[in-house]
Amino acid sequence: MNTPEKPSSTKSSSAQKLWGGRFDESTDEFVEAFTASVGFDQRLYRQDIAGSRAHATMLQKVGVLDADDLAQINAGLDQIEADISAGNFEWSVSREDVHMNIEAALTALIGDAGKRLHTGRSRNDQVATDIRLYLRDACDEAAAEAVRLMEGLLQLADKHSATIMPGFTHLQTAQPVSFGHHLLAWFEMLLRDLDRLSDTRRRLNKLPLGAAALAGTSYPIDRSITQSLLGFDGVCENSLDAVSDRDFAIEFCATAATCQMHLSRMSEELVLWTSAQFNFIELPDRFCTGSSIMPQKKNPDVPELVRGKSGRSYGNLMSLLTLMKGQPLAYNKDNQEDKEPLFDSVDTLLGCLRAFADMVPAIEANENVMRDAAARGFSTATDLADYLVRKGLTFRDAHEIVGLAVRHGVEQDCDLSELSIEVLKQFSDIIEEDVFDVLTLEGSVNARNHVGGTAPEQVKEAIKRGRQRLKLTYRKDA
Ligand code: ARG
């Protein structure tokens, strides 16, 4: 048997490994870089330090560390956190990841007390804890931006509760709607996303620490102490599951992808509406850019980019699902690949929500253009059919009659409301003067006066309820 050999500079290309004891030769230089995650997981340093403080405090309370060790660990971690925040920390690839970089720095600072920090803990439960803490904050930040965006939508909807625009199906003019009502449809989509964020947060807010490498630890730990110090609502009940599953990250990415899908749909409409062909709205110059060759251009870059970014968000979700699908219990190094897609989904979502929250209140509606567009395209044809039904016809007969009237309008290039009563009567003699009440745009929207309908009165009520629902949706308590 070889005699135990202290790792030396001849053995390792760089620093000594925290796990180097059983190894005969140093890590291949390429493998060292290939297996390292410090380049991207250093963003978890605050969570990693918070987890270490809580773990050490618990170890001291149960008598595994003495008070002096704990004081030194806390002081050392304070110093390291300050150094990292100030950009004075040297991250080393040979220390592999954020956890071992910080632990090595702590030991360099305080000696043996630093070496005792990892008692009863593994990087496996450590990293799972860090990601959960990180994602909890990410949920809170995303929720705050989503709320800001939704408040902007409610405000704009309030201003435009009675502004009329064409409502579309198949992107063909269908029936007139209030612009406020359209904006409230966006609000509903986002409110469900906010609810999903709230769910995601609730399910992820459990403590993995205590699971150690996979089976738990032989030290007399008290997980409830660590749990309450870190603000978790409970502990992960099974140690194998605690260190291995990343379904909470998948859930966040799924929530983010769904929200991106909604933002992308909104973007698509904004892009259409700012085009010269629609000309429904103006986006302020500060959210647009010009063309380097065509001087007349003002491009809606922000919505276009948001629409484009949905692609990477869906990709991140697919990456994580695929990452997990074949993994046996418990921890596998595969899991290190969870971070970059997750971080990217967080950054993308926060950026897109922020851009939208800033932009939406600044949208200017070209009310006359919207109105003219609704007045073209026979948007009140259904109202004429409903009118005939109220006068005693079956809906199918009414549908047929209105179809003929529309065909006449197309031939004459005029809207139904522009046909004279004499002409209208040729299609059905039960049509009277009062038909013009329903053929107007206002008559049409006002008639849809029930919960969920587009009548301006209902839009106002929906905004009031929306403000209440917005307050109640995102919950930080379990
Ligand atoms: N950097 C690792 C990760 O992100 C930390 C856990 C490593 N655990 C291990 N047994 N190699 O997953």
Side-chain angles (χ1 to χ4, degrees):
M1 202 175 106
N2 291 336
T3 46
E5 201 187 323
K6 283 267 171 272
S8 69
S9 54
T10 53
K11 221 184 141 185
S12 173
S13 58
S14 37
Q16 176 186 327
K17 297 281 186 262
L18 294 180
W19 40 252
R22 64 99 68 213
F23 285 75
D24 280 337
E25 59 175 0
S26 60
T27 317
D28 178 275
E29 220 175 303
F30 172 72
V31 170
E32 189 168 84
F34 185 72
T35 52
S37 54
V38 66
F40 48 86
D41 67 12
Q42 55 182 265
R43 95 148 70 179
L44 296 172
Y45 79 91
R46 283 184 200 284
Q47 290 79 11
D48 197 68
I49 288 173
S52 289
R53 281 199 191 100
H55 179 67
T57 304
M58 180 278 289
L59 288 181
Q60 191 269 324
K61 285 213 158 85
V62 301
V64 173
L65 288 184
D66 63 32
D68 186 47
D69 280 342
L70 176 62
Q72 288 190 55
I73 287 171
N74 278 331
L77 290 174
D78 284 351
Q79 176 68 52
I80 291 168
E81 187 163 26
D83 286 348
I84 298 175
S85 310
N88 293 333
F89 189 88
E90 212 178 303
W91 297 101
S92 151
V93 170
S94 67
R95 295 295 186 202
E96 198 174 318
D97 55 26
V98 61
H99 323 292
M100 291 199 291
N101 266 269
I102 290 175
E103 193 188 322
L106 183 67
T107 300
L109 268 180
I110 65 170
D112 279 355
K115 292 188 189 170
R116 279 192 270 273
L117 170 63
H118 211 53
T119 311
R121 176 178 87 166
S122 151
R123 276 185 296 154
N124 297 350
D125 56 347
Q126 193 178 352
V127 68
T129 303
D130 291 3
I131 304 172
R132 284 175 189 253
L133 288 172
Y134 166 82
L135 261 190
R136 191 172 70 188
D137 287 347
C139 286
D140 291 348
E141 280 175 54
E145 288 298 307
V147 167
R148 197 161 69 84
L149 166 54
M150 280 182 270
E151 283 168 351
L153 283 172
L154 289 175
Q155 185 193 313
L156 195 62
D158 200 31
K159 186 170 163 199
H160 291 292
S161 62
T163 302
I164 291 180
M165 67 180 284
F168 300 92
T169 61
H170 313 268
L171 203 57
Q172 310 285 322
T173 298
Q175 293 172 353
V177 295
S178 124
F179 181 41
H181 192 57
H182 193 114
L183 295 169
L184 288 185
W186 293 0
F187 174 84
E188 290 298 322
M189 303 173 192
L190 291 169
L191 195 68
R192 288 192 296 277
D193 293 332
L194 186 65
D195 197 26
R196 274 183 275 272
L197 272 176
S198 186
D199 267 359
T200 304
R201 186 193 203 280
R202 176 175 58 81
R203 252 189 297 280
L204 68 78
N205 202 23
K206 301 277 186 282
L207 173 78
L209 278 176
L214 74 164
T217 172
S218 55
Y219 295 94
I221 59 169
D222 182 344
R223 299 180 74 198
S224 69
I225 297 175
T226 326
Q227 174 208 314
S228 64
L229 285 172
L230 291 173
F232 285 111
D233 296 324
V235 301
C236 296
E237 291 274 347
N238 180 287
S239 63
L240 298 168
D241 175 55
V243 292
S244 65
D245 209 344
R246 295 292 183 266
D247 58 353
F248 56 90
I250 291 174
E251 192 172 343
F252 179 89
C253 287
T255 298
T258 307
C259 185
Q260 292 287 154
M261 175 273 293
H262 285 144
L263 293 173
S264 180
R265 295 183 63 200
M266 296 171 203
S267 297
E268 171 68 10
E269 295 191 319
L270 293 176
V271 170
L272 282 174
W273 294 348
T274 52
S275 69
Q277 288 67 24
F278 272 83
N279 193 28
F280 281 6
I281 59 160
E282 305 289 338
L283 289 179
D285 288 359
R286 63 184 184 279
F287 294 103
C288 300
T289 62
S291 157
S292 56
I293 175 168
M294 296 166 283
Q296 84 283 12
K297 295 275 286 208
K298 175 176 155 185
N299 296 327
D301 287 42
V302 169
E304 286 176 289
L305 259 182
V306 169
R307 185 177 61 188
K309 282 179 188 291
S310 56
R312 61 199 295 159
S313 184
Y314 299 177
N316 293 334
L317 171 61
M318 200 46 64
S319 295
L320 290 195
L321 284 167
T322 313
L323 172 69
M324 289 312 298
K325 76 174 276 291
Q327 283 196 49
L329 289 171
Y331 176 87
N332 303 283
K333 184 77 167 180
D334 311 41
N335 279 349
Q336 184 165 290
E337 286 290 306
D338 62 357
K339 287 166 205 63
E340 286 166 294
L342 181 62
F343 294 163
D344 187 66
S345 278
V346 170
D347 293 344
T348 302
L349 183 65
L350 288 177
C352 292
L353 285 171
R354 178 186 167 168
F356 255 69
D358 290 346
M359 183 176 65
V360 157
I363 292 174
E364 294 282 348
N366 295 330
E367 297 182 25
N368 292 335
V369 180
M370 284 184 171
R371 202 195 148 77
D372 288 351
R376 279 178 278 116
F378 304 98
S379 65
T380 56
T382 316
D383 297 272
L384 178 56
D386 291 344
Y387 169 90
L388 293 172
V389 169
R390 281 198 297 280
K391 298 254 167 174
L393 291 190
T394 66
F395 186 76
R396 275 290 151 240
D397 288 340
H399 188 284
E400 171 73 16
I401 288 168
V402 177
L404 293 170
V406 166
R407 190 202 283 189
H408 181 78
V410 171
E411 281 160 13
Q412 303 296 311
D413 193 25
C414 60
D415 186 57
L416 291 177
S417 61
E418 291 164 348
L419 298 175
S420 68
I421 187 70
E422 290 75 26
V423 172
L424 285 167
K425 269 187 177 301
Q426 289 168 15
F427 297 99
S428 169
D429 55 12
I430 59 174
I431 296 179
E432 319 259 0
E433 227 10 271
D434 62 354
V435 74
F436 292 105
D437 296 341
V438 309
L439 288 183
T440 63
L441 298 173
E442 280 72 17
S444 175
V445 294
N446 287 335
R448 285 155 174 81
N449 195 9
H450 52 77
V451 171
T454 192
E457 199 184 315
Q458 292 296 333
V459 173
K460 290 275 187 202
E461 287 303 312
I463 291 168
K464 268 192 228 152
R465 290 196 301 277
R467 292 197 200 289
Q468 277 313 106
R469 292 161 70 211
L470 189 51
K471 277 194 202 124
L472 298 174
T473 301
Y474 190 78
R475 301 174 61 102
K476 291 188 182 177
D477 51 333

